[in-house]
Amino acid sequence: MTDPAVLVVRPALSDAAMAELFAAAWGGSGDTRWAPILARSLTWLAAYREGRLVGFVNVVGDGGRHAFVLDTTVHPDEQRGGLGTRLVRAAAGQARAADVEWLHVDYEAHLTGFYTRCGFRPTAAGLLNLR
């Protein structure tokens, strides 16, 4: 059995490593600059296997009772093995430790099962596209 990926809280992340992960998982160029995003985050977690970034999740907060899970991403070679669930549950633990009361996540309908396994329950919400 393969050893589980190692989860690291708030590691330094290069734009190149993040671009590689996001391109593999989502396609596209992955030209996001992560330092300004992470500077505003409550916390983030990364997953590594043999030194390679294979997973990521970001948690942003309002400075009070609410925080949001963003950018949950797992490399395709690692999907369907529980890594995403581990990342989201660890992020929830970090948010709890920061005294967050409500952890929110938005997702597409086909991800309902995944987020239910992570402990979330569906709620009605609104979304406004500003672009």
Side-chain angles (χ1 to χ4, degrees), residues 106-131:
D106 291 329
Y107 53 84
E108 295 177 3
H110 72 277
L111 295 172
T112 299
F114 168 74
Y115 281 107
T116 298
R117 286 188 299 279
C118 292
F120 288 87
R121 62 180 169 79
T123 61
L127 179 65
L128 175 62
N129 186 338
L130 299 176
R131 290 189 182 198

Side-chain angles (χ1 to χ4, degrees), residues 64-104:
R65 298 171 24 172
H66 297 268
F68 301 82
V69 172
L70 298 173
D71 299 319
T72 305
T73 301
V74 174
H75 192 283
D77 294 345
E78 301 281 336
Q79 292 176 0
R80 306 246 183 257
L83 179 56
T85 302
R86 284 181 57 214
L87 279 164
V88 172
R89 287 182 178 166
Q94 291 293 309
R96 185 179 296 109
D99 207 28
V100 169
E101 184 176 355
W102 295 100
L103 187 60
H104 305 257

Side-chain angles (χ1 to χ4, degrees), residues 14-61:
S14 72
D15 290 340
M18 291 291 281
E20 183 180 328
L21 173 63
F22 275 70
W26 306 108
S29 66
D31 58 357
T32 301
R33 298 191 115 359
W34 284 93
I37 294 169
L38 298 179
R40 295 182 190 98
S41 296
L42 176 66
T43 194
W44 61 91
L45 290 94
Y48 296 91
R49 183 175 305 283
E50 298 175 2
R52 179 175 159 233
L53 180 64
V54 295
F56 172 78
V57 66
N58 191 15
V59 179
V60 297

